[in-house]
Amino acid sequence: MHVMQYEITLPADYDMEIVRERVATRGHLLDTFPGLGLKAYLMRERGAGSPVNSYAPFYLWATPEGMNSFLWGPGFQGVVDDFGRPRVRHWVGLAHTEGPASAATPTTATVRRTPVPHGVEPARFVADAAAEEAAPGVVASAAGIDPSRWELVRFTLWEGPAPADGGDRYEVLHLSAPGRAGLRAGRHW
């Protein structure tokens, strides 16, 4: 599993209905994309619990071929054409787990980034992160690590409002999940 996200920060006066319309008309295009575990179309609005307007899709790729096909194909080129070329962050996947609300449609998401502390054995830190238990209201959760920055990312989909202390909070506009069944096994990668 590969974890990937890009965040496009938009002007403070940007009409976020443009993002909503974009996802409403194009989001389904990845509902059957080969190699994709899931894509959460995320957005946050300035003044609605966020300091900025942003469009920030989050991906769990089941295969590197799927990720490469998307990044070097027409789907990502559409993002580049409309918003410019964003910086794409990616992490090595550690774990994916379904939460107690796995049958629900997620409405919010959190993304929490945590540096691996100095003096902590990386293998122990990774094992602890992969074994984190899902809280009530969690639809699904995934963890990944960037070993170039020694940064852990924890991505969580929520059935209702996301907790204030869970990291950056987003609204989920759409969920494409063609490979979610394969991710459901709760495998540690």
Side-chain angles (χ1 to χ4, degrees), residues 41-173:
Y41 294 79
L42 306 180
M43 178 186 94
R44 56 187 180 157
E45 290 186 78
R46 183 173 184 254
S50 172
V52 298
N53 287 329
S54 71
Y55 174 54
F58 196 96
Y59 303 76
L60 298 179
W61 291 101
T63 69
E65 295 84 8
M67 182 175 67
N68 290 339
S69 177
F70 175 75
L71 284 173
W72 317 133
F76 188 67
Q77 187 59 49
V79 172
V80 172
D81 290 345
D82 292 348
F83 298 108
R85 187 174 54 201
R87 182 178 80 149
V88 178
R89 302 279 317 271
H90 57 94
W91 300 265
V92 176
L94 297 175
H96 171 271
T97 55
E98 293 290 307
S102 63
T105 299
T107 58
T108 60
T110 53
V111 178
R112 184 177 68 225
R113 294 171 186 84
T114 307
V116 178
H118 291 285
V120 171
E121 181 183 335
R124 168 57 64 203
F125 186 84
V126 165
D128 290 346
E132 186 174 295
E133 292 295 319
V138 169
V139 174
S141 184
I145 194 156
D146 177 348
S148 72
R149 295 171 163 243
W150 291 109
E151 174 189 69
L152 175 83
V153 65
R154 166 84 48 200
F155 167 69
T156 306
L157 293 169
W158 299 89
E159 175 182 28
D165 62 350
D168 293 333
R169 292 183 293 165
Y170 299 89
E171 178 182 354
V172 178
L173 300 177

Side-chain angles (χ1 to χ4, degrees), residues 6 30 36-41 55 57-60 70 79 174-178:
Y6 49 88
L30 267 69
L36 178 63
L38 67 82
K39 175 182 181 179
Y41 294 79
Y55 174 54
F58 196 96
Y59 303 76
L60 298 179
F70 175 75
V79 172
H174 180 74
L175 185 68
S176 292

